[in-house]
Amino acid sequence: MGRILRVLSSVAAMAILANTIAQPAAADQIGSTINFRVSDTFPDLTYNEITKIQRGLKSAVDFNRKKTPWICVSSPTLSDEVLGDLGEQFRPTGAFIYVAIGRHPDGDAFVMEMIWVAGKRTATQTGVISKTLLEGDRATALRDEAVHTLEQLMEQVTPCAPKVKVKAKTKLTQDLIWTGSWEGEARLALGESGDFAGTLPVTYSWTPIILPDGVCTATIPNPRSLMDIAGHFEAGDKSLKFTRMQLHGISGNTTVSCTLDGQAITRTMALPIFAPMEAATQYDVRIPLQQDARIIIALRPPAPGAVSDFTMDLTYEEDGTPVALVSVGGAPLQAAHRSRR
């Protein structure tokens, strides 16, 4: 039974392990760009009118940057760069806003806007400005519709709230066969400077223990625990850098039921107590801030014949599954809505 206890002990050990200690760096804001284009169907739009519309768009972004879903985003830069295909292969970084203004043959004007967050288009919307409004203060009418459309779009996406899913797994194959893992997920609410901190709920699970002379199963009443996490956005490589990943571990009693050499054995024993374990100071844990990003880190095995790894996935997508919110200072994630593509 002693070797069974040693196997169970490795459950709490598989998320850390020593390597190079990562050096901390300062947090950065996520960059933002407004790409403003005037269609050839609107050839008489003047420089002053364009400037008024651009200023209105920039002010709208700056106003919404006061809200939690956009608070980590920097003030936007303006661009009129001619872009190519804006389809699925178009992957701008940060928060990228595309605004195009044109005119229909009937005289009405239109504004078409799209927002990309983390390299993926997450919202699209079109507004219409009637020919009657254009006969008055044309610049104001165009600006107001462009701003109104942009504000509606910005409520649909959350550049400061990516979702991460973490999982660590250890597999033992020497003298016995056993796989243990823990996993959890949370939506990170980045603060104004691009930092985050909080706790992420995790759940442990493991397979039966296959021995040369039998099989054992271990049952723990409460396999749930917490991980304290913290980190920030780094503009240099457009990634989320984790500076803290500390597992609380699990405690209590476990019931081990074995069938060895045809005999049934059941024991209840206390789980070993481990000191809190820290992973982010042992590894350079960072993940690109982009849709569907994934990292896999090979961990030092906790026992001979073991293989351990750590996986993290990042997404902005909503799948209807409730997830915990890791916020800065406990601030709620307000004005966040499901993305509309």
Side-chain angles (χ1 to χ4, degrees), residues 128 204 234 324:
V128 176
Y204 289 84
E234 290 188 357

Side-chain angles (χ1 to χ4, degrees), residues 119-154:
K120 184 171 185 176
R121 187 171 65 194
T122 54
T124 304
Q125 194 153 317
T126 302
V128 176
I129 306 95
S130 69
K131 179 171 59 177
T132 302
L133 286 176
L134 295 177
E135 292 172 352
D137 186 343
R138 184 169 71 170
T140 298
L142 291 170
R143 180 201 62 190
D144 289 351
E145 183 58 38
V147 168
H148 174 67
T149 300
L150 179 57
E151 288 174 340
Q152 289 183 313
L153 281 180
M154 292 183 72

Side-chain angles (χ1 to χ4, degrees), residues 29-30 32 58-76 154 160 192:
Q29 289 186 307
I30 296 174
S32 67
K58 188 176 188 303
S59 295
V61 174
D62 284 333
F63 177 79
N64 279 275
R65 288 172 54 235
K66 301 174 185 178
K67 301 177 182 179
T68 304
W70 282 80
I71 197 170
C72 69
V73 174
S74 66
S75 185
M154 292 183 72
C160 301
E192 186 173 3

Side-chain angles (χ1 to χ4, degrees), residues 2 4 25 67 71 102 115 123 193 253 258 296 300 304 322:
I4 304 304
K67 301 177 182 179
I71 197 170
I115 294 181
S193 62
N253 294 325
C258 299
I296 300 176
R300 190 185 69 190

Side-chain angles (χ1 to χ4, degrees), residues 138-318:
R138 184 169 71 170
T140 298
L142 291 170
R143 180 201 62 190
D144 289 351
E145 183 58 38
V147 168
H148 174 67
T149 300
L150 179 57
E151 288 174 340
Q152 289 183 313
L153 281 180
M154 292 183 72
E155 287 189 352
Q156 297 175 34
V157 295
T158 55
C160 301
K163 183 170 69 173
V164 294
K165 183 174 182 179
V166 294
K167 182 175 183 178
K169 180 176 67 176
T170 293
K171 184 174 182 179
L172 300 178
T173 57
Q174 183 171 308
D175 299 328
L176 52 84
I177 299 174
W178 172 86
T179 301
S181 64
W182 59 259
E183 64 179 275
E185 63 180 352
R187 194 168 288 279
L188 308 180
L190 277 63
E192 186 173 3
S193 62
D195 58 337
F196 59 89
T199 56
L200 184 151
V202 299
T203 302
Y204 289 84
S205 63
W206 39 84
T207 64
I209 304 163
I210 308 300
L211 302 165
D213 51 356
V215 61
C216 297
T217 58
T219 303
I220 295 177
N222 183 17
R224 295 176 177 83
S225 186
L226 295 172
M227 172 186 281
D228 297 327
I229 66 173
H232 55 258
F233 174 72
E234 290 188 357
D237 60 359
K238 308 294 190 298
S239 69
L240 291 182
K241 163 65 179 170
F242 285 75
T243 57
R244 189 180 188 194
M245 299 187 74
Q246 189 172 61
L247 277 172
H248 290 198
I250 51 178
S251 60
N253 294 325
T254 178
T255 300
V256 180
S257 300
C258 299
T259 301
L260 302 174
D261 290 329
Q263 295 185 346
I265 304 172
T266 299
R267 298 279 179 86
T268 297
M269 63 186 73
L271 286 169
I273 298 176
F274 291 89
M277 294 183 175
E278 172 63 77
T281 57
Q282 308 298 324
Y283 286 91
D284 186 10
V285 182
R286 64 179 68 221
I287 186 168
L289 188 61
Q290 63 186 42
Q291 177 68 25
D292 301 325
R294 165 173 280 195
I295 59 168
I296 300 176
I297 299 175
L299 304 175
R300 190 185 69 190
V307 176
S308 290
D309 59 52
F310 170 85
T311 302
M312 178 182 293
D313 294 284
L314 183 144
T315 180
Y316 278 90
E317 294 301 301
E318 300 279 0

